[in-house]
Amino acid sequence: FRSHAFQYKFTARNSQESDALRSIIKTFKYHMSPGYKEAGHFFDYPEQFEIDIVGGDYLFDIGVSVLTSFEVNYGSDGAAYHFEDTNAPFSITLAMTFQEIAITTKSEIYLGNR
């Protein structure tokens, strides 16, 4: 199973944008986690992600994946800086690793599907 890692740096201009970043973080954490089913005796699978990268023929296609690692660095500028009025961070780095749920074979690569 192939893995794909992505890293993004976000810098908020105000506390409202920090709130939007908090919402993004919560959404990814929520969808990468399992749920309960059967009265809490069994886990339900986390959500699957379809990742589309725009770039023509030079970038390959990524198969349906699950989010296996999600890291938030609140001190991406060497220290954690916050807005004075809300104490919301204004610079963070997100690092994510996705793993495909199906094995990509040589024939799929040859045909250009992956």
Side-chain angles (χ1 to χ4, degrees):
F1 299 98
R2 300 185 305 178
S3 293
H4 307 281
F6 301 93
Q7 185 171 338
Y8 301 97
K9 181 175 179 176
F10 296 95
T11 303
R13 293 176 290 200
N14 52 47
S15 58
Q16 291 80 19
E17 288 185 358
S18 285
D19 291 341
L21 290 173
R22 179 174 50 184
S23 177
I24 291 168
I25 292 166
K26 185 175 181 180
T27 299
F28 274 110
K29 287 170 65 175
Y30 176 84
H31 289 289
M32 76 176 291
S33 301
Y36 282 116
K37 64 179 184 178
E38 304 283 334
H41 296 289
F42 299 99
F43 285 117
D44 196 11
Y45 293 107
E47 272 70 273
Q48 298 175 0
F49 294 81
E50 291 186 26
I51 303 168
D52 293 322
I53 300 177
V54 178
D57 295 335
Y58 292 95
L59 300 177
F60 59 89
D61 186 29
I62 296 174
V64 175
S65 303
V66 292
L67 181 57
T68 59
S69 174
F70 184 76
E71 299 175 21
V72 182
N73 181 354
Y74 293 101
S76 59
D77 291 327
Y81 298 107
H82 300 84
F83 291 103
E84 287 184 21
D85 57 340
T86 62
N87 206 29
F90 69 80
S91 180
I92 64 168
T93 300
L94 300 181
M96 300 175 274
T97 303
F98 293 87
Q99 184 172 354
E100 293 180 355
I101 61 170
I103 296 174
T104 299
T105 63
K106 291 179 180 180
S107 62
E108 289 173 317
I109 294 172
Y110 180 76
L111 294 172
N113 295 337
R114 295 275 183 252

